[in-house]
Structure formats: structure tokens, C-alpha cells
Amino acid sequence: MKSDTPRQWFPPSQLAFYFDQGAWSRGTTLYLQDKVLSSQLTPDGDGWRFARTGTGLTKVQPYSVNAELRVSAGGNLSEWRSGCTCPVGRYCKHGAALGILASMQGLALLNEWGPDGPSPEVVERRSQMEKERALSHAEYQVRDWLNRLENANGPVAYTLPGSTHDQFVYSLSVVQTAYKPVFHLAVKRAAQKRNGEWGKAKKLSTEPSPHDPIWQTSSPLDRDIFDLLKACPAASSFSSYGFQSEVKLHGMPGQLLLKLCSQTGRLVSDDGIALRWQDTPEALVGSWHEVKGQDHLPGGWQLRMQPLHPGVVYGLNQPPFFMDTVQGLCGPLDTQGLSANALQVLSNSPVLPESVAFKFQNQLLERLGPVPLPPVIQKMPEIRGVKPRGLLNISPAHPADRGLQGLFLAELSFDYDGHIGFWPGQQSRVMVGQGTHARMLLRDLPSERQAWDALAGLGLVTFDANLFALPPEQSQQRWLEWLENDFAPLRQAGLDVNVISGATPWLRLADDVHIDLSGDTEAPETSPWFDLSLGMDIDGKRVNILPWVPMILTTLAQISSATAEGEKAELPPYLYLPDLQGEGFVKLPTAKIEPWLTTLMELVSERGRDWAGDELRLSRLEALRTAASLGEGVSWAGAKLDEAGAANAWPRQPACGTRSRQPASDLAALPAAGPQLVAVFAYAPTGGHPG
């Protein structure tokens, strides 16, 4: 309850300097509605500290405000600082209400102070006043709560016949910025006339309070709209923090906001024409208009982006929208896959003289997308209805790049009735040829896609643009199999294959296998060592294949490790090995090398070997084991056959625990057939061993 003292401590108008217009206006309302629950004035140096507890218009929990002020002897306010526990924090409406209270009742509070502060009677009286104010405020809150409870289940809005009241109206307008047109949505309030038209709409300056009649009679849709307004950017970048009555439609919240406004039946254009949402997009098309030359400026063609129907305006929001004031519609804009930024650039097309259009026709074809070409380019002869042939040029990868590219690279292109090329992207129209031979080609994109799918189905992957390769981590043997059968799988897929290999014979076929076991050439009859040589006939010439042994055994080990437990590992019919005499490969039949693979694996596992030479040095025991494994067909040299035959083939053994060097002649009785040697191993004396 306010004091009846007519005198003021200082003029209230001096406080307005410290607050913005909104805070000062709302603070005045709080003071006039007697929202201050309690207040206390205490001295602070040469000034005063003023504290109070009050409430806002919508808050049940009171806010606490503290202020520091100085008042001159003449009754003028010289300093004011205020802070509050509300979200604004400083110089808010609660601080303004406290300042007005200090101005109007400050002297009464000062008079209560004696030399030692207020007397007990004053303290008791102030305490009683604060209790009365708190009780009055509690009564107000209960009354307001009961009113809201009564209206919670009642009709959203009702009016008496003939009466009018304000409602929220949502105005859609297109604003031409410096770069592009953009739709804005503004919230206004207006009364609807009896004929259905809206009266003069007023723009909202502040967010409606729950006590405002327009908010109490609003629908749930309106309240959802106010929530969505906060998710859209403000229409002005210079607007202050807080409620925004006009926003830019942006993103999914902007599209949903426009739909909800349409559902209220109160969505209008800036001219007051009622609008409703339409889900069907409005097409935006591009057309070229001839521009006549003026003075020194050349004539040409200029692109204009415009909706398909007259009277339609569009905004390049994200997403873009349209507004048709003739039909009373609004909705999404069909941009044919073009982004808002691309539409913005296309809408600002310069004039293209005819010579310039021809000069940049390739770039126009590539970048205009669904937009039609200038008429001067469209006049070119067209190639349409031609089914393309896929062309595949296969060439070997550079040896230094095989770790990344594999063995071969395949380049894909397409032949349209003699016009050969590769065109990235999904542009259906491309220009081929130059000058007078230039033609507009209409590509058969489904047929081109079939060629790409066929290559992917054969295991080839895209390496770069139109280059294909087998991944280097996979076996490159497939290339050599295709090379041997003239790339039959690729040709069966409808591709024309051209192999660019130069003079290099990329594949040669190995024929017969030669295995020789001979004594030391320097002392064939006395040396305990034997030399094993492996060779094959390739193109009628014998080639040493000992250097291939590690690769062959590595392949065998990989096959064995990939075989399931309990199953027998089987070699493929052929192995493709690097040619030792060139850049190509040799096709090696595994059936002819399989008998001696086990023996070679034992030789490798027991001790390291030098496989780079023409012959492999073996001891007598290794020679016997090799002969036993290889059996017939092995050529022996450097030893004489003993007349006694196999019965005297085994040399005399020394006593157990001793060693002797046996001359090579001791092995002269080794027969050419293997089974007899196996029998010799089986019945060898246990007291000693050969070698």
C-alpha cells in the first residue's frame, strides 16, 4: 500500500535515463499494480542501499532487487545502480519499479530513521505492512489461479453477437535483399469485420502476456506458433534480444511454422489476401530473353528464373517457397534439384552475346543442369536415339604403381556412332565435336550405367574417373586368365576391348618339365655332393625355373592355409608366374610340378637355400630322398651303373657312431626307378645311415 506523503525524494523522470523504454514502461506497470512485497532502506557510506522483494506479472516466485543510489541535498538523483535475480539481471523492469518506489516513498522511509536507526515501533509497523502486502498478493495469486482453472476446460474463444475482439494474424511477405528475395513472416493483431475482412493490423512490439485478452482467447495452434517463432532467425540483424514479431522462414521450423499459420485460417499476404498451404510444389523454370544491343554494349541473351504460372512470387529461403496471391496459395518451390545458392546465381545472369555463348558452351552444358541452354546453342544439330558401345582400353600399369593400381588399368569410354568420349556426371546433353562439326549429343544414360554395372560385377573398381582396376590386395591372376582367353568375359558383357601392350609378350605357356640330378662336375666320382636342376620348355627353349621355387611354395602355403581342416588342399590347374626373361608372365601347369613340390618344401624348411642359381647343391642323403620322391623320369649324370644292380646299390656302412666320406662312385649303382630306392630306405641297417 502506497504512502500518502505528497513529497517525493527525487523526480521519477530522472530514473528513466538508466532504463530502456520497455523496462521503464513495464516497471511503471509493476509499481502501479502494487507488486512490491517488501522494501528496506539502509545507509551505505554517503549513499543509500535500497532492497525489496517483488514479483513480475507471470512469476509466482518473487524476485529480489538491490539498488545503490545517491540523492543530492536539493532532491536530485545523482547515481543509480540496480541488480535483480530475474533473467535480465541489471536495470530490468523490477529495478525500475523499485526506483519509482524510492522516489515516491523514500522520504517516508528516511523519516523513520533516527540517529540509531528506526525505532522498535517503526520496525513493528513496517513488519505489519509487509505481512498485509504479502497476504494481499497471495489472495491475488489464488484468484488468478482459480480463473485460469475455470477457463482451462472452457471454449478457446467466444464472443457475444455483434462484438469484435483482436486476434493474431500472420502476414507473409517477400523482401528483396541485396542478393535474393526472401520470405518474412510477421505476427500482427487485428479484428475481423462482419464481412470476413480484417481490420487494420497492428504489429506486436512485445510478447503477449497470459493476462492479455488476445492471449487468453488464442488457440493452441497460436501458442505453438509463438514457440516456433523463437526457432527462426530474426528478420532484422539489428534487432534486440528477446521476442521477435517478424522472422525469416528458415529450415524445417520455418516450413512447419508456415503450415501451422495456414491451419489457423489467419495467414494473409502483406496485401491482406488470405493464403492457404499447398503441398504440391510450384515449378520454377528458366527462360532466355533476347536483349538488344545499346550504344557500345553488345546484344545477346539473358536468363530469367520465373515461376510457371503468372502472379506467383518466390523466395530463396532454405527451403524455397512460393506465394500465389491470385489463387491464394503458398507452399514449397520446385527447384529441379538446384540449391538456393545456385538459384541465386542463375537469377543474376549477365547478358551472353552469341560469340561468348559459343566460346563457353562446354561450361554452359556442364553447369546449367536442368536449365535450358541459350537458343544459339540449342540450334546445333542433335544426335539422339543412338545406343552407345562401351569401349575398354586395357594397358599395363607402370611397375612402380602396381602396388596401388594392380597389374592392368582399364579405361572406359563410349562410342556414339563414331563420337567417342567419356562425360562425367548425369548431364544428359553434351556437346561433341568442334566448330562446324559440333553436335549436341543426347546420352543414353541407362545403357552407360549397364556398362559400369557390368565392370563392377566382374570385380573391377573405379580407380579414377573412368579408370578401372582390380584392387591390388586381391589376386591379379584374373587379369592373366582374361588375357589368355582374349578377355571373353568383358566382351560377353557387351564391351569392345582393346589391349595396349606394345611389343611385350605378356603371357607364355610352359611345356615339359626337366629334372636333372648330377654329381659334382669337378670330381663326379669322388664328390659327396650332387646338383639338382629344374627346367621347363617355354617357346621351344629350356628355361631354369629354380628362382620360381619360393614363389610356388608361397602360393602352395597360401592355398593350404585357406583350406578347411580335414580337407585336402588342391592346386589350381595353372599358376601364373612372373617371366624371368621379361615383363610378362608364364603360365605354369601345376600337374607337372606337383610330384616334386613336397620334396622342395622339405628342402626349404630344413635349411635355407640359394634359389638364384642354375643348380641346387644337394648332399647324398638329400639326393637319395629327392630321387625317391621324384621317381621315374629323372635324368642322372656323373655316375656309372654298377653291374651288380640294385642289390649292391647301398654302400658299405661304417660302425655305429662313426662317419666316413663316401665318394660319388658309391652312388653309381642308383637305379633310375624310384620304388627300389624306397625299399632300400625301408631295409637300411639301423646301426648307421648314408651321408
Side-chain angles (χ1 to χ4, degrees):
M1 186 175 297
K2 300 178 184 58
S3 172
D4 296 332
T5 304
R7 292 185 56 193
Q8 299 175 348
W9 193 6
F10 55 86
S13 59
Q14 295 180 354
L15 279 168
F17 173 77
Y18 296 93
F19 300 90
D20 59 35
Q21 184 177 358
W24 178 252
S25 175
R26 290 188 290 270
T28 303
T29 302
L30 287 177
Y31 173 74
L32 294 176
Q33 292 180 350
D34 200 15
K35 295 292 183 178
V36 180
L37 300 182
S38 63
S39 59
Q40 183 177 4
L41 182 67
T42 57
D44 184 14
D46 57 349
W48 295 87
R49 181 179 296 274
F50 202 17
R52 68 103 172 175
T53 302
T55 182
L57 290 175
T58 63
K59 298 292 182 180
V60 176
Q61 182 65 31
Y63 292 127
S64 296
V65 189
N66 289 297
E68 297 178 3
L69 69 158
R70 287 187 175 88
V71 181
S72 66
N76 293 311
L77 180 66
S78 59
E79 184 179 350
W80 173 272
R81 289 197 301 270
S82 65
C84 183
T85 58
C86 73
V88 177
R90 301 178 60 192
Y91 300 101
C92 60
K93 62 182 179 181
H94 308 103
L98 178 63
I100 298 174
L101 178 67
S103 170
M104 303 302 294
Q105 303 183 28
L107 287 179
L109 295 174
L110 287 176
N111 292 334
E112 295 177 352
W113 279 85
D116 300 325
S119 63
E121 293 79 6
V122 172
V123 172
E124 177 65 25
R125 186 172 65 254
R126 290 180 58 185
S127 176
Q128 185 64 29
M129 292 174 58
E130 290 174 359
K131 290 179 180 180
E132 292 176 358
R133 287 183 179 181
L135 182 61
S136 175
H137 180 69
E139 180 182 347
Y140 166 79
Q141 288 180 323
V142 172
R143 185 184 299 109
D144 177 70
W145 175 67
L146 291 174
N147 289 335
R148 287 187 286 112
L149 188 60
E150 180 183 6
N151 297 328
N153 299 321
V156 174
Y158 60 90
T159 57
L160 296 175
S163 64
T164 61
H165 68 277
D166 284 353
Q167 299 183 58
F168 292 121
V169 178
Y170 306 101
S171 175
L172 183 65
S173 60
V174 60
V175 178
Q176 186 67 42
T177 64
Y179 304 100
K180 58 183 178 181
V182 175
F183 275 115
H184 287 186
L185 182 72
V187 184
K188 300 179 180 180
R189 58 189 303 165
Q192 193 171 22
K193 302 177 181 178
R194 295 182 179 180
N195 59 3
E197 297 181 356
W198 292 98
K200 185 177 180 180
K202 301 177 182 178
K203 192 173 181 179
L204 296 181
S205 57
T206 59
E207 184 175 4
S209 69
H211 301 280
D212 196 325
I214 190 175
W215 184 262
Q216 293 180 346
T217 58
S218 63
S219 67
L221 273 179
D222 291 305
R223 300 172 187 184
D224 292 340
I225 289 171
F226 273 80
D227 289 336
L228 278 175
L229 284 172
K230 302 173 184 178
C232 294
S236 174
S237 57
F238 300 101
S239 59
S240 59
Y241 173 80
F243 171 73
Q244 303 296 331
S245 62
E246 185 173 353
V247 296
K248 300 176 185 176
L249 297 177
H250 183 80
M252 183 183 67
Q255 184 170 351
L256 181 58
L257 179 62
L258 196 56
K259 288 182 179 180
L260 292 181
C261 292
S262 173
Q263 293 177 18
T264 64
R266 290 176 265 114
L267 176 64
V268 298
S269 68
D270 52 351
D271 297 330
I273 299 174
L275 300 173
R276 58 182 175 85
W277 176 267
Q278 173 184 278
D279 289 325
T280 304
E282 174 72 16
L284 183 67
V285 296
S287 59
W288 294 88
H289 298 263
E290 187 175 5
V291 178
K292 300 296 183 180
Q294 296 181 357
D295 299 332
H296 61 283
L297 298 177
W301 299 87
Q302 188 173 28
L303 177 65
R304 295 179 186 174
M305 302 299 296
Q306 54 192 14
L308 191 61
H309 298 96
V312 177
V313 294
Y314 66 92
L316 297 181
N317 302 65
Q318 291 185 355
F321 299 103
F322 81 92
M323 180 173 64
D324 186 352
T325 55
V326 177
Q327 301 293 330
L329 299 173
C330 64
L333 187 69
D334 181 10
T335 62
Q336 305 180 60
L338 297 171
S339 65
N341 292 334
L343 289 173
Q344 174 186 339
V345 177
L346 290 172
S347 301
N348 293 277
S349 161
V351 177
L352 274 70
E354 184 173 340
S355 59
V356 176
F358 275 111
K359 182 177 181 180
F360 293 101
Q361 55 187 349
N362 289 337
Q363 291 88 335
L364 290 171
L365 286 167
E366 177 183 354
R367 299 169 190 175
L368 282 182
V371 178
L373 295 169
V376 292
I377 298 180
Q378 290 180 339
K379 293 177 182 178
M380 289 192 305
E382 290 185 349
I383 302 173
R384 64 169 63 231
V386 178
K387 193 172 183 63
R389 289 284 301 174
L391 303 180
L392 205 61
N393 291 326
I394 299 176
S395 58
H398 192 276
D401 298 330
R402 289 180 182 173
L404 297 175
Q405 302 174 358
L407 192 57
F408 288 89
L409 287 176
E411 182 181 11
L412 177 64
S413 58
F414 296 97
D415 183 358
Y416 283 88
D417 196 16
H419 298 278
I420 301 174
F422 167 74
W423 305 275
Q426 299 297 312
Q427 178 62 39
S428 60
R429 299 173 304 174
V430 293
M431 191 190 68
V432 295
Q434 297 290 336
T436 57
H437 300 286
R439 299 289 186 271
M440 183 66 64
L441 171 64
L442 272 71
R443 297 167 58 191
D444 186 351
L445 295 177
S447 296
E448 292 186 15
R449 173 49 56 187
Q450 289 179 1
W452 286 79
D453 294 341
L455 293 175
L458 291 171
L460 295 171
V461 298
T462 306
F463 179 74
D464 182 18
N466 60 331
L467 291 179
F468 290 83
L470 283 176
E473 62 272 10
Q474 298 182 10
S475 173
Q476 301 294 303
Q477 183 167 315
R478 196 180 310 170
W479 277 122
L480 302 172
E481 294 174 355
W482 291 342
L483 185 64
E484 185 180 7
N485 58 26
D486 195 24
F487 296 94
L490 296 173
R491 298 183 190 277
Q492 292 172 2
L495 298 168
D496 294 340
V497 181
N498 178 33
V499 182
I500 307 173
S501 60
T504 302
W506 277 98
L507 191 61
R508 299 195 295 166
L509 181 63
D511 193 6
D512 197 11
V513 180
H514 298 277
I515 306 175
D516 292 334
L517 189 62
S518 61
D520 197 333
T521 56
E522 297 180 359
E525 297 183 358
T526 61
S527 174
W529 299 100
F530 290 82
D531 295 326
L532 174 67
S533 63
L534 302 176
M536 274 194 169
D537 291 337
I538 302 176
D539 294 339
K541 298 180 180 180
R542 181 175 177 179
V543 177
N544 175 35
I545 64 171
L546 273 177
W548 279 340
V549 170
M551 276 184 284
I552 296 173
L553 298 181
T554 300
T555 303
L556 181 62
Q558 292 174 349
I559 295 174
S560 299
S561 62
T563 304
E565 185 177 355
E567 297 182 3
K568 182 180 179 181
E570 295 184 0
L571 283 174
Y574 297 94
L575 291 178
Y576 294 90
L577 302 172
D579 198 334
L580 301 174
Q581 298 180 353
E583 193 178 355
F585 289 80
V586 173
K587 182 181 180 182
L588 184 67
T590 58
K592 297 183 178 182
I593 64 173
E594 190 170 6
W596 47 272
L597 282 178
T598 304
T599 302
L600 291 178
M601 289 187 69
E602 293 177 355
L603 294 175
V604 172
S605 62
E606 289 179 356
R607 51 193 177 94
R609 300 288 176 177
D610 181 12
W611 302 92
D614 295 331
E615 296 175 332
L616 185 65
R617 177 59 57 93
L618 303 178
S619 67
R620 285 185 305 151
L621 179 57
E622 292 169 338
L624 288 171
R625 292 165 58 190
T626 302
S629 299
L630 299 179
E632 296 183 0
V634 180
S635 176
W636 304 96
K640 296 183 295 182
L641 183 61
D642 195 315
E643 295 179 357
N648 300 321
W650 191 261
R652 183 172 54 87
Q653 298 299 318
C656 181
T658 63
R659 293 180 57 90
S660 65
R661 294 177 59 86
Q662 301 291 338
S665 58
D666 288 348
L667 295 177
L670 291 174
Q676 297 184 28
L677 288 175
V678 174
V680 171
F681 283 144
Y683 295 103
T686 58
H689 62 278

